[in-house]
Amino acid sequence: MAAWLVSEMKKYPVKHGKSVKNSVELVKKLEGFKLGRGEILVSFDVTALFPSVPVNEALQSLRRHLERSRAPPNHIEAYLSVAQVCMNQNFFTFRGKVYRQTFGLSMGSKLSPLLADLFMSDFENEAQKKKLFPRIWWRYVDDVFAPVKERYLDQTLSMLNSQHNTIKCTVEKEVEGRLPFLDLLISRKEDSTLKFGIYRKPTSTDRYITSDSNHFDAQKQAAFHSMAHRLFNVPMAKEEFEEEKDRIYSAAEVNGYDRPFVDKIIRKHKRKTQRNSITTLQPDTLSLFLA
């Protein structure tokens, strides 16, 4: 039922709120952005998002979204009935006993990400009315990128944490002008604009599905397609571009793949980028694959 409802909601895409689908979309949103005087880069993290979202309020957010989208009234009622059943039937087992979750969205339901996004979009729209709300705010699920005046950071965090009794945020500040966010390393340049690099946690081992596994080829290639897509869609300086490309080849070798395996994937994304995004790339990146 949850999967069916999520499929139905594709007819009514979420157009309000401040969420992004991935790091590549975030980079596009930040094109031309420049830090103001006294601003620093921060990321806010919503603590335990899904279990913290009240079901009834999330369903009201769903109703408002469907009404804004001009869904037929009888469809709205049917969708809400299905969503209510899905959210109230949250059972799980632990050490041989069966439990029912009595508060918050289920971590395993396909419907929870949609309801959490709608709820957070309403949360953001209300918070935006407050004086201390950041002028730039882009959220991926429960992680938010924002520039904040450093002297008002504590007040901004307090404002966000006072918006709702179950939604609480933590904050991470830039260090030496750099902030890891999702799989990006966002840095401030001397002119207060931003530059982007690829971020991996220090514990990253570059281990993916190995070449000798029994997975389908598409599954084996998926991680490398993702890295190649990111390579050509995150604007980087020449040196960083080459370093990331070498890292992809190195990761392939670690997992038992030869160089032609990566060459084919790189060429595919290179051609795709030339067709679809050639005018949006920074000169450094553009010159690398036009050469």
Side-chain angles (χ1 to χ4, degrees):
M1 291 174 68
W4 171 83
L5 186 54
V6 170
S7 178
E8 283 289 297
M9 289 302 101
K10 293 179 181 178
K11 302 174 184 176
Y12 310 102
V14 180
K15 297 179 181 179
H16 68 295
K18 297 178 176 294
S19 64
V20 292
K21 296 178 181 178
N22 49 49
S23 57
V24 171
E25 184 177 359
L26 174 66
V27 169
K28 293 179 180 178
K29 295 285 189 184
L30 294 175
E31 185 177 0
F33 171 75
K34 191 172 184 177
L35 284 164
R37 179 177 296 180
E39 286 185 330
I40 60 172
L41 303 173
V42 305
S43 64
F44 295 104
D45 176 63
V46 183
T47 304
L49 175 60
F50 286 6
S52 300
V53 175
V55 170
N56 289 338
E57 294 182 43
L59 294 178
Q60 288 304 310
S61 292
L62 175 60
R63 177 184 291 277
R64 287 190 290 270
H65 167 64
L66 292 170
E67 290 173 347
R68 280 191 298 264
S69 302
R70 298 184 178 181
N74 59 326
H75 287 196
I76 293 176
E77 298 307 320
Y79 292 146
L80 287 169
S81 295
V82 172
Q84 182 79 58
V85 171
C86 291
M87 290 297 101
N88 285 341
Q89 300 298 318
N90 289 335
F91 295 94
F92 62 93
T93 59
F94 180 70
R95 293 182 177 177
K97 293 184 178 181
V98 178
Y99 298 85
R100 182 169 70 87
Q101 185 175 330
T102 59
F103 186 88
L105 305 178
S106 170
M107 293 291 289
S109 173
K110 294 182 178 181
L111 186 58
S112 293
L114 172 66
L115 292 179
D117 187 40
L118 290 170
F119 174 84
M120 286 302 299
S121 293
D122 286 348
F123 175 93
E124 291 159 351
N125 288 338
E126 286 300 311
Q128 194 173 6
K129 299 174 183 177
K130 301 296 180 62
K131 183 177 179 180
L132 290 172
F133 190 78
R135 64 188 179 96
I136 296 291
W137 173 286
W138 292 113
R139 174 179 51 82
Y140 176 78
V141 188
D142 57 356
D143 293 316
V144 177
F145 171 84
V148 176
K149 286 190 178 295
E150 187 169 17
R151 61 176 176 167
Y152 296 132
L153 178 57
D154 291 340
Q155 295 95 314
T156 301
L157 182 61
S158 295
M159 180 273 291
L160 293 172
N161 286 337
S162 65
Q163 279 292 112
H164 195 282
N165 61 352
T166 66
I167 301 298
K168 304 300 175 185
C169 299
T170 58
V171 66
E172 179 182 356
K173 299 193 297 183
E174 66 174 61
V175 176
E176 298 181 349
R178 301 189 301 174
L179 178 75
F181 185 78
L182 304 182
D183 56 354
L184 298 174
L185 184 62
I186 306 175
S187 307
R188 60 164 69 226
K189 296 160 72 171
E190 290 185 2
D191 62 357
S192 295
T193 58
L194 303 178
K195 72 173 184 177
F196 303 93
I198 305 304
Y199 175 75
R200 291 179 176 84
K201 293 182 178 181
T203 54
S204 174
T205 61
D206 285 338
R207 296 297 296 184
Y208 304 103
I209 299 175
T210 56
S211 62
D212 59 354
S213 73
N214 291 321
H215 288 75
F216 292 109
D217 287 344
Q219 295 171 318
K220 294 180 181 181
Q221 297 168 8
F224 297 95
H225 276 294
S226 176
M227 287 186 282
H229 173 76
R230 184 176 60 186
L231 176 69
F232 286 105
N233 286 275
V234 173
M236 290 179 279
K238 179 179 179 179
E239 182 179 350
E240 292 170 332
F241 180 94
E242 293 296 342
E243 286 179 358
E244 177 59 21
K245 188 167 69 171
D246 289 343
R247 182 69 179 260
I248 296 173
Y249 280 104
S250 174
E253 183 179 0
V254 166
N255 291 279
Y257 300 99
D258 57 21
R259 193 172 184 86
F261 170 84
V262 180
D263 287 340
K264 183 178 180 180
I265 293 174
I266 292 287
R267 285 196 299 270
K268 178 177 180 179
H269 287 274
K270 179 178 177 180
R271 290 193 297 266
K272 184 177 180 180
T273 305
Q274 287 175 320
R275 290 196 304 266
N276 299 334
S277 306
I278 193 168
T279 60
T280 65
L281 293 177
Q282 289 187 351
D284 285 343
T285 305
L286 181 60
S287 64
L288 287 170
F289 68 82
L290 286 181

